[in-house]
Amino acid sequence: MTVFTLVALMFTAACGNTANTANNNANAPTNGGNKESSAKVKEVTFWGDWGGEGQKQFETMVDAFNNSQDKIRVKYVLQQDMITKFLTAATSGGSPDVLFWDRWRTSLYAPKNVLHPIDEYVTKDGLNKEDFYGEALKELSYQDKLYGLPLTVDARALFYNKKLLADAGVTPPTTWAELEAAAKKLTKWNGNKLEVAGFSLNDKGLFNMYLQQAGGQMLNADNTATNFNNEQGKAVLDLWDRMLNKDKVYKLGFETGLGEGTDAFVTGKLAMQYNGPWNLSTYKKFGKDLDFGVVAPPAGPNGDQASIMGGFGLVIPAGAKNKEEAWEFIKFWTANKDNALLWAKTSLNIPGFKPALEDPFFTEDPNLKPFIETLNTAKIRPQHSGYSVMEDDALLPNLDLFLNGKLSAEDTLKKAQQRGDQLLKDNATVQ
Amino acid sequence: MHKLHKHQARMGYLFITPTMLLFLAFTIVPVVMAMYLSFTNYDVVSRRDWVGLDNYRRLFQDSLYWQTFRNVIFYSVIFVPLNILISLLIALLLNFNKPGVKLFRTMNYLPTLTSAVAAATVWIWLLHPEFGLVNGLLGYLGITGPAWLAQTNTAMLSIILVTLWQSIGSNMVIYIAGLQGVPDYLYESAKLDGASAFDRFRYITWPQLRPTTFLVSTMSIIGALQLFDQAFVLTQGGPANVTKTPVYLIYQQGFNQLQMGYASAQAFVLAIVILVFSYINTKVNKSEESIL
């Protein structure tokens, strides 16, 4: 991309107003027509960035909703670069009615008033907040206002290749020590070539999870500064260092660029890895010969169990023209046992609506059960508007240097803390 | 006579009007707009307050921003000379009118036609440490190849490799055009004077190609400073930010962190840097002229 293209993009963003007003005018007759006869069907636009399989999963739910009543018609629109498009639309009125929302974004976007709070609707329809995962609702909230309902919840759990573990005579690990020992036994080298990696150390972004397993927290108690430059942080880096450099259970870049069908885990080149429920459908589809199991994340040295909760929600943009109808659709999908279950079965995602999880589909599936257990203790990322910036710009680059052997554990933590604290301070206030 | 000129001028303006309007709407206006935004705290969504020089002040203390410049300068220092050298060499090899040569020209030009993103996706696979073709070939020579994209000391080299593969094709074509513009009589008289092949290259071809080299080097420098696609797809700026480029940072700052005002300031400084480097390049190429 050239600088000019970028500049042009910024300009489009800035002047989205004019461009989209024209758009609105074009749409006006249809809307006006709707007002005249309220019996007419209302069109609700739903934006998401899932294509392919994901699009089919979405459309299943959209069709189910459209067939359930005759007043509202929802249309799914696939947006490749959804957030960028949403931002230009948000300021101008070209906004969709429902938005598929990566929840962690809430604390960055909600303060800017681009989302519509849904507390009123929740009270009006008498929804019980206890039916949803509390952490997921917390992640969709900003300053006591709720901005959406959770569509999926996920957490990392340990995936293992049953055959490789059986061949090596190893049982699925439950603690760090067992994980390390198992990984060592499972790894196979052929000279300088790594043939089977015992355990994936691909995702340095999981530092947060390891830290909690070691008994630590990413931020201090009042959420103002980093809290990993200590014994707990050191314990994580020492574990990584041992596994990567001493035990040599993994090689950096081992999994880069391997697509769904050639994934190292699918092809039996990787014995154990942390992964989320979103990969269950892929592994079932591509790995016909792959016999895998899932267990809750191994506990740290002091027995602490931890995983990070993430996932998606559905929100209503502040600029939506059909807010009531949008809410009906969101309620149908996320706050109804049968529909949440239909969603779970078509997409193999874990819905945020707890009553649906009582179904045998979840309680009797050995691959889903560990996730449900993990989700009961999983915590969301800290809600600080500078948190993602801190992770991206202060922590992760230094972890890269550590994994590349360019920084000692002490220096890594120290540098990440210095820059991280600065970034948290710089990004603390969002007007 | 005079009337005819006027008529021609009118027609001329008429013909360039559509282009100029597009240029105005999609280049001039956005640039002016971005300049204005660089003095605001614009966040795309809710604010656009005048903050004066705050963004520029912040930029001077932003170590990451300057690191991205060090990254592209490292990239340029290797990429630009190699680009000129390799595309010139290939052009010299393919500058004959022999049967079959057109096929080779086409093959060398092919990488240019692929989209940067698609090519980079394939290269990720080629550069895979264990199953990639590059390390596979190195393995036959008894060399254990590195994890190209995952290691801090090879990540930028990998990007240089991929962008070279993709850009020498078009520069080769420009050089072939340049080579065919060199008059034959110069070579003939040089041969009569007993000049060797190297001498002919040194004293005829290279000086005659100066405008071409100027074009190729300027375009390469500008392209290098605006590196984005390959860094985005191959490494996402990592590991440890060693492949993060100014354009990538601007994109992140503006669209991921909602700091479009600050991103505009960064974009403006980048534009000035490109201007400076292009100017230096012009000077360097002019100073060479006096050697002749």
Side-chain angles (χ1 to χ4, degrees):
Chain A
M1 193 187 305
T2 64
V3 165
F4 282 134
T5 327
L6 257 189
V7 169
L9 267 171
M10 289 171 186
F11 168 72
T12 336
C15 293
N17 265 318
T18 27
N20 278 288
T21 319
N23 228 335
N24 283 346
N25 290 338
N27 286 336
T30 11
N31 284 340
N34 281 349
K35 265 172 211 150
E36 278 168 17
S37 53
S38 57
K40 268 220 179 132
V41 178
K42 286 234 187 181
E43 279 256 344
V44 166
T45 330
F46 165 40
W47 279 13
D49 51 7
W50 279 10
E53 287 290 316
Q55 180 164 6
K56 280 182 213 150
Q57 294 158 7
F58 279 171
E59 275 162 1
T60 306
M61 297 312 294
V62 166
D63 291 343
F65 177 73
N66 287 343
N67 294 333
S68 74
Q69 41 73 48
D70 52 9
K71 296 207 166 51
I72 308 165
R73 280 208 74 77
V74 177
K75 209 177 106 206
Y76 176 57
V77 183
L78 173 66
Q79 298 284 6
Q80 295 290 2
D81 198 1
M82 186 179 70
I83 288 297
T84 313
K85 281 207 184 115
F86 167 64
L87 288 177
T88 51
T91 42
S92 62
S95 180
D97 300 306
V98 179
L99 200 60
F100 178 64
W101 189 249
D102 206 343
R103 286 199 297 267
W104 65 266
R105 290 198 176 110
T106 313
S107 53
L108 181 62
Y109 288 84
K112 303 193 181 294
N113 296 321
V114 291
L115 303 179
H116 185 69
I118 58 159
D119 301 271
E120 249 179 79
Y121 301 128
V122 172
T123 325
K124 190 186 74 189
D125 287 338
L127 295 189
N128 183 4
K129 283 193 185 174
E130 299 293 313
D131 284 342
F132 300 93
Y133 280 96
E135 286 285 305
L137 286 184
K138 202 163 100 190
E139 205 174 19
L140 280 164
S141 306
Y142 178 77
Q143 287 183 347
D144 302 327
K145 276 191 185 144
L146 182 62
Y147 287 93
L149 290 180
L151 185 64
T152 70
V153 285
D154 59 56
R156 307 287 173 131
L158 191 73
F159 284 59
Y160 64 94
N161 185 316
K162 280 187 182 164
K163 188 176 172 294
L164 289 177
L165 263 74
D167 288 351
V170 177
T171 51
T174 58
T175 63
W176 278 16
E178 286 176 29
L179 178 72
E180 215 184 321
K184 228 165 127 179
K185 278 191 191 162
L186 289 162
T187 308
K188 285 187 200 115
W189 284 84
N190 176 7
N192 281 324
K193 211 168 141 70
L194 180 60
E195 288 191 331
V196 178
F199 177 65
S200 168
L201 288 165
N202 186 39
D203 192 354
K204 55 189 183 288
L206 296 179
F207 179 84
N208 184 354
M209 181 176 84
Y210 285 90
L211 183 71
Q212 291 184 46
Q213 290 167 354
Q217 290 293 330
M218 286 299 279
L219 300 188
N220 62 4
D222 53 357
N223 241 9
T224 51
T226 62
N227 191 25
F228 46 69
N229 185 9
N230 48 30
E231 279 307 301
Q232 287 87 1
K234 181 85 174 17
V236 177
L237 296 192
D238 286 347
L239 174 77
W240 288 5
D241 184 40
R242 280 199 309 275
M243 292 180 98
L244 190 67
N245 299 318
K246 203 174 126 263
D247 305 341
K248 294 194 188 298
V249 305
Y250 191 73
K251 189 176 191 177
L252 290 182
F254 188 67
E255 289 163 89
T256 322
L258 301 176
E260 283 189 330
T262 51
D263 182 300
F265 190 67
V266 170
T267 48
K269 294 188 173 81
L270 175 65
M272 297 187 292
Q273 63 163 339
Y274 275 123
N275 216 325
W278 57 84
N279 254 336
L280 288 173
S281 54
T282 309
Y283 287 162
K284 282 185 180 160
K285 184 173 152 202
F286 286 94
K288 285 187 187 76
D289 307 318
L290 172 72
D291 191 12
F292 70 97
V294 183
V295 286
N302 300 315
D304 290 288
Q305 288 210 299
S307 194
I308 313 294
M309 185 189 279
F312 296 91
L314 291 177
V315 298
I316 306 175
K321 283 175 287 291
N322 307 304
K323 293 197 179 72
E324 296 277 341
E325 290 76 13
W327 166 250
E328 287 303 320
F329 176 56
I330 293 178
K331 193 175 66 175
F332 172 88
W333 191 350
T334 60
N336 176 296
K337 195 177 161 180
D338 297 335
N339 300 329
L341 203 60
L342 173 66
W343 163 239
K345 285 177 182 168
T346 37
S347 70
L348 288 192
N349 272 294
I350 301 172
F353 192 62
K354 282 182 182 167
L357 301 181
E358 290 154 11
D359 192 87
F361 180 73
F362 291 101
T363 52
E364 281 167 21
D365 186 325
N367 287 336
L368 282 170
K369 239 179 84 182
F371 282 111
I372 313 270
E373 279 162 24
T374 307
L375 280 167
N376 287 329
T377 51
K379 294 265 185 300
I380 57 166
R381 281 164 274 212
Q383 288 179 288
H384 185 294
S385 50
Y387 181 78
S388 58
V389 182
M390 183 281 289
E391 228 182 42
D392 282 349
D393 292 350
L395 182 63
L396 300 184
N398 283 308
L399 289 179
D400 272 329
L401 290 174
F402 173 75
L403 292 171
N404 270 277
K406 301 259 153 109
L407 268 186
S408 71
E410 288 79 9
D411 288 345
T412 303
L413 295 170
K414 203 173 99 195
K415 279 191 156 180
Q417 178 193 13
Q418 283 167 350
R419 178 121 174 98
D421 287 346
Q422 186 59 44
L423 287 171
L424 285 176
K425 219 160 75 192
D426 290 348
N427 294 285
T429 44
V430 187
Q431 281 97 15
Chain B
M1 198 66 188
H2 182 71
K3 237 184 175 178
L4 192 61
H5 270 305
K6 243 184 166 176
H7 175 70
Q8 281 175 332
R10 260 206 308 274
M11 288 312 284
Y13 282 120
L14 191 69
F15 279 124
I16 62 168
T17 302
T19 315
M20 289 314 284
L21 280 178
L22 286 173
F23 182 67
L24 186 76
F26 293 105
T27 306
I28 304 289
V29 174
V31 168
V32 172
M33 199 68 197
M35 185 156 164
Y36 163 71
L37 290 179
S38 73
F39 294 105
T40 68
N41 63 0
Y42 184 50
D43 67 353
V44 193
V45 181
S46 55
R47 314 172 289 183
R48 190 160 45 188
D49 312 317
W50 189 262
V51 293
L53 286 169
D54 277 6
N55 287 330
Y56 291 92
R57 240 175 258 132
R58 180 177 158 195
L59 204 131
F60 281 104
Q61 290 151 6
D62 190 337
S63 56
L64 184 58
Y65 185 57
W66 298 112
Q67 192 192 337
T68 61
F69 271 107
R70 282 199 299 278
N71 292 343
V72 283
I73 287 170
F74 172 73
Y75 171 87
S76 314
V77 165
I78 300 181
F79 173 80
V80 177
L82 275 181
N83 190 3
I84 292 172
L85 190 71
I86 298 173
S87 49
L88 177 59
L89 278 176
I90 297 178
L92 287 170
L93 284 176
L94 299 179
N95 185 34
F96 306 107
N97 272 321
K98 296 231 168 78
V101 85
K102 280 188 177 146
L103 178 72
F104 284 101
R105 281 186 200 163
T106 313
M107 275 161 60
N108 274 291
Y109 189 72
L110 269 181
T112 308
L113 297 174
T114 52
S115 102
V117 174
T121 312
V122 174
W123 273 97
I124 290 179
W125 178 76
L126 292 174
L127 290 169
H128 189 280
E130 300 296 331
F131 322 118
L133 187 70
V134 175
N135 278 3
L137 293 175
L138 285 176
Y140 287 123
L141 303 173
I143 303 168
T144 309
W148 292 96
L149 298 168
Q151 286 179 4
T152 44
N153 41 9
T154 53
M156 193 50 112
L157 294 176
S158 315
I159 291 184
I160 292 172
L161 180 72
V162 176
T163 45
L164 271 179
W165 171 82
Q166 193 154 36
S167 61
I168 49 177
S170 59
N171 289 334
M172 172 199 77
V173 169
I174 298 171
Y175 265 123
I176 289 179
L179 283 170
Q180 293 184 342
V182 182
D184 283 337
Y185 64 81
L186 289 178
Y187 291 118
E188 279 159 18
S189 57
K191 270 184 197 163
L192 286 178
D193 290 346
S196 67
F198 178 77
D199 286 339
R200 290 199 299 273
F201 176 77
R202 169 70 183 81
Y203 293 105
I204 301 171
T205 317
W206 181 243
Q208 287 284 327
L209 285 175
R210 177 162 303 127
T212 318
T213 307
F214 173 64
L215 174 73
V216 169
S217 59
T218 309
M219 296 310 280
S220 304
I221 290 170
I222 294 175
L225 290 169
Q226 296 186 352
L227 181 68
F228 177 81
D229 310 41
Q230 288 86 356
F232 186 77
V233 181
L234 287 169
T235 56
Q236 287 85 47
N241 290 333
V242 293
T243 58
K244 195 165 270 179
T245 68
V247 181
Y248 192 164
L249 186 68
I250 291 165
Y251 170 79
Q252 266 194 328
Q253 201 90 45
F255 290 106
N256 295 352
Q257 299 175 3
L258 301 186
Q259 300 182 0
M260 200 60 85
Y262 185 45
S264 303
Q266 291 182 334
F268 249 84
V269 172
L270 174 63
I272 291 166
V273 170
I274 290 176
L275 205 70
V276 169
F277 273 89
S278 306
Y279 182 72
I280 293 173
N281 192 32
T282 323
K283 284 280 154 194
V284 167
N285 274 276
K286 269 210 182 117
S287 74
E288 263 181 22
E289 211 144 19
S290 59
I291 299 168
L292 247 185

